[in-house]
Amino acid sequence: MAWLNWVVDPRDGGDETEVWERLDREPSRAVPGVGYGDLEDWLGTLDESAVTQVLEVYLPTEAESFSLVDVARTTGIDIARIRRFWQGFGFPHLSDESTQLTAQDVELISTFTSFFVERTRDEGLGLQMARVLGSNLDRIASAQVDSLVASVLLSGPDVEVAAERSEQFAALMPRLLELIWRRHLANATRRRLLRPPVGDTARICVGF
């Protein structure tokens, strides 16, 4: 009987790859008869209906009925710029007329592009921020989904309880992300304010 846990292994310059490892502590439930070489085959036997029940709370609930043309019409910003921001967030390429955007997508692109193109007039900074936000939030979202499938479904409670927890966690995430971001922002600000200005010297002491 193998004790397994889903963990994140930093490789290739910081990219995260999900791997399995043995646990020293006892998990809530064992995964019987699964060895390392058999893991891929065993994952293929998961009940997809159970996976869907736990994860479907994260799917859009509103219709995908808008296109990049609609966003351009709303913001007055040309489609080429809008597409650069959309893909900067890490989202797939969309044709101009493809109605694959929700109202929240339109709000996201309109708010973001309008701020950096019209108000600050710093499109380069906006694209940089889009890439940073998109990259890191994609990793958070992927880890969240993987954790539910691997930790909750494989070694946790039954599907109904897991689905309820999934929905509760989805409601908590926006506030949690804001609180964590604000703490990191405060810490980053303090570090920057404590940094000596360029050209200044600072006395340091090295102990042995």
Side-chain angles (χ1 to χ4, degrees):
M1 180 176 293
W3 301 103
L4 299 174
N5 186 38
W6 192 255
V7 297
V8 173
D9 182 24
R11 299 175 182 173
D12 301 327
D15 291 341
E16 292 184 347
T17 305
E18 293 80 12
V19 296
W20 291 86
E21 69 174 6
R22 292 184 182 274
L23 285 176
D24 292 329
R25 62 181 178 80
E26 181 178 349
S28 57
R29 190 169 65 205
V31 181
V34 181
Y36 285 105
D38 303 325
L39 186 58
E40 286 296 327
D41 293 337
W42 185 77
L43 285 175
T45 67
L46 280 177
D47 182 355
E48 288 301 320
S49 64
V51 174
T52 300
Q53 186 175 346
V54 173
L55 295 182
E56 63 185 355
V57 67
Y58 297 130
L59 295 175
T61 57
E62 51 185 15
E64 296 177 333
S65 54
F66 301 94
S67 67
L68 294 179
V69 171
D70 297 321
V71 181
R73 189 180 298 116
T74 300
T75 62
I77 300 172
D78 64 90
I79 291 180
R81 276 179 164 172
I82 292 171
R83 179 177 288 105
R84 282 198 293 272
F85 279 98
W86 176 255
Q87 294 184 232
F89 285 121
F91 302 136
H93 174 82
L94 296 178
S95 62
D96 294 355
E97 302 286 348
S98 177
T99 54
Q100 298 184 44
L101 302 176
T102 66
Q104 288 185 348
D105 294 330
V106 175
E107 180 184 3
L108 165 65
I109 307 172
S110 301
T111 303
F112 205 87
T113 55
S114 296
F115 180 81
F116 284 102
V117 173
E118 295 179 347
R119 295 189 62 182
T120 68
R121 300 188 182 278
D122 196 340
E123 184 175 345
L125 176 61
L127 287 171
Q128 180 183 356
M129 291 297 298
R131 295 186 185 105
V132 170
L133 289 170
S135 174
N136 284 281
L137 289 174
D138 174 62
R139 293 168 67 184
I140 291 172
S142 296
Q144 186 174 345
V145 169
D146 290 343
S147 295
L148 283 170
V149 174
S151 298
V152 179
L153 284 180
L154 305 190
S155 59
D158 58 44
V159 175
E160 288 72 21
V161 175
E164 182 180 358
R165 290 181 180 176
S166 178
E167 186 172 4
Q168 292 170 347
F169 191 57
L172 283 175
M173 277 299 288
R175 182 56 175 162
L176 291 176
L177 288 173
E178 179 186 359
L179 293 172
I180 295 169
W181 166 70
R182 288 190 179 280
R183 172 48 58 186
H184 278 299
L185 185 63
N187 291 343
T189 301
R190 291 191 184 98
R191 289 195 300 270
R192 181 58 185 85
L193 293 176
L194 292 173
R195 186 187 308 168
V198 176
D200 283 9
T201 59
R203 180 174 297 178
I204 61 174
C205 176
V206 179
F208 294 94

